[in-house]
Amino acid sequence: MVSASPFPAQEIKSSAWARYYARHSTFARTAAPRIRELYEATYGAAAERSVLDVCCGVGTLAEHFLIHGYTVTGIDLSEPMLAIARQNLDGYLKDGQARLIQADAASFSVDGPFGLATCTFDALNMLQTSEALSSCFGCVRRALAPGGMFVFDLMTRNGFWRDYNYLGVRDTEDELYIFKSVYGGAGNRVGVRNSSNRSQ
């Protein structure tokens, strides 16, 4: 069930994009061990081995923590992303080590507390207003244990100027994927269009 939210949603509805992300994105695989090392170095033996993964996507970062004995709750608004995450984390879901919840990052409530919360790959940039971002921080704070850690990243204006005026094409034997993004600076908005055609 999707949590009710007073904020405009920016949901990834494309199953083609979810498949593409699952096949080609390496960011979470790179970030996960670094985040875990930071967390464990900070808290040592007292580290609470529970993670809230906000905008968990296809479950890649969650899987790293699950492999290392953590319990993980992942939330994401995108059903196509969660569908792949359920496949990827099936065994962990069945044994209760993982939970996946369809919810808006700007307005959610989950059973905790968690020692660590994460939100990676510029996912917070999907929130449409500063009020939605502030609300997300509040939701995470309420879910964290006292003194818990929230690790997140955001794309800055400089990053948008550098990386988001872009046209990319990936053409392989079984996939044609076109990604176009435009950032003009006005209004702090980025326009993105994805299209994908995959042979069966």
Side-chain angles (χ1 to χ4, degrees), residues 4-27:
S5 174
F7 301 101
Q10 182 65 29
E11 178 184 357
I12 295 173
K13 297 180 179 180
S14 168
S15 57
W17 166 246
R19 287 194 307 268
Y20 179 86
Y21 181 86
R23 294 177 75 180
H24 301 293
S25 177
T26 60
F27 185 86

Side-chain angles (χ1 to χ4, degrees), residues 32-33 44-45 73 80 82 90-91 105-106 110 117 121 124 139 166 173 177 185 197-198:
T73 295
L82 287 172
D90 182 60
V110 290
F121 204 33
L124 291 177
C139 293
Y166 171 77
E173 186 175 314
Y177 181 81
N197 187 357
R198 186 179 179 195

Side-chain angles (χ1 to χ4, degrees), residues 74-97:
I75 70 163
D76 204 293
L77 189 57
S78 170
E79 178 54 36
M81 291 286 204
L82 287 172
I84 295 174
R86 289 186 200 103
Q87 295 171 7
N88 292 341
L89 306 178
D90 182 60
Y92 298 107
L93 292 165
K94 286 178 178 173
D95 71 13
Q97 191 181 344

Side-chain angles (χ1 to χ4, degrees), residues 48-63:
E48 188 79 33
R49 297 180 76 80
S50 57
V51 177
L52 171 64
D53 190 10
V54 180
C55 303
C56 64
V58 298
T60 307
L61 185 137
E63 185 176 28

Side-chain angles (χ1 to χ4, degrees), residues 32-49 51 64-65 68-70 116 149:
R34 294 177 180 178
I35 294 170
R36 182 175 57 82
E37 288 164 11
L38 170 67
Y39 177 63
E40 292 176 356
T42 302
Y43 294 95
E48 188 79 33
R49 297 180 76 80
V51 177
H64 173 85
F65 281 91
H68 287 86
Y70 286 71
L116 172 65
M149 178 183 287

Side-chain angles (χ1 to χ4, degrees), residues 29 103 115 141 162 185 189:
R29 286 185 188 89
R141 179 66 193 95
R162 189 183 65 239
R189 300 282 180 172

